[in-house]
Amino acid sequence: MLRSAQLLRFLPVICAALFLSGCAGYQLGTGTNLKFSTLFIAPVSSETTIPQAQALVTAQLREAFGRDGRVTLVNSPEAADAVLQVVLTGYDRAIAVALPNDTGLARRFNVTLKASATLTDNRSKQAYFTKRALTVQRGVFTDSGLIPSEYQALPLLAAQLANEATHAVLDTW
């Protein structure tokens, strides 16, 4: 009886030691070391006919990488360890919701913005990845008209695309 009482007294200490030893190697973040520390984001180019999308996506890309903080953005490719090039490759609209008695009158569309990204090591001129597909989608309601709704959705699509590009560049490949 005395022996089990002594064991119960040390049981919380043993459990705490086992628990804390399991947490000893934990570290916050992705746990990967990047192969570059500075990044130049080239102005976005476009193969689509979306007005003003290039400047908007370029600004969102710079903002997303700046907010992440794992790399330092530079203003010229010569000063960068790596260069990111993004090309807008497609913009599609598909009917998502229509009236049951009038299928020609759509209430909601799904708009999809597609891009490809290439990340190049500026020192060795070797590509980390080439033409990686990035696709984002958003629902657009046509209550105020299709054109104004799409115009309002474009900054949101650009922010989503910037987030996808950030993950593609900075997370483990």
Side-chain angles (χ1 to χ4, degrees), residues 11-158:
L11 188 62
V13 174
I14 294 169
C15 289
L18 289 173
F19 176 75
L20 292 175
S21 67
C23 298
Y26 185 78
Q27 99 183 47
L28 292 173
T30 61
T32 59
N33 291 327
L34 294 172
K35 297 180 181 179
F36 53 91
S37 60
T38 58
L39 177 68
F40 174 71
I41 299 173
V44 173
S45 59
S46 181
E47 298 171 354
T48 65
T49 57
I50 309 169
Q52 303 171 353
Q54 293 133 309
L56 184 61
V57 174
T58 301
Q60 290 289 340
L61 282 168
R62 293 188 63 80
E63 185 176 319
F65 278 96
R67 192 172 42 247
D68 184 277
R70 286 184 268 176
V71 294
T72 302
L73 296 178
V74 294
N75 293 325
S76 70
E78 294 80 21
D81 297 334
V83 175
L84 176 65
Q85 296 173 313
V86 176
V87 178
L88 301 177
T89 58
Y91 181 80
D92 300 313
R93 164 188 328 117
I95 295 174
V97 176
L99 294 173
N101 57 355
D102 186 2
T103 56
L105 183 59
R107 166 104 167 79
R108 179 179 157 222
F109 287 87
N110 286 334
V111 291
T112 305
L113 182 60
K114 298 176 185 175
S116 67
T118 300
L119 181 64
T120 307
D121 184 337
N122 204 30
R123 298 161 293 199
S124 67
K125 303 300 183 204
Q126 296 292 317
Y128 290 114
F129 57 79
T130 305
K131 294 185 180 180
R132 181 171 289 181
L134 304 172
T135 303
V136 293
Q137 186 177 55
R138 187 143 192 105
V140 172
F141 287 92
T142 60
D143 295 338
S144 60
L146 182 59
I147 301 301
S149 298
E150 284 184 293
Y151 181 74
Q152 292 171 354
L154 190 56
L156 301 172
L157 285 168

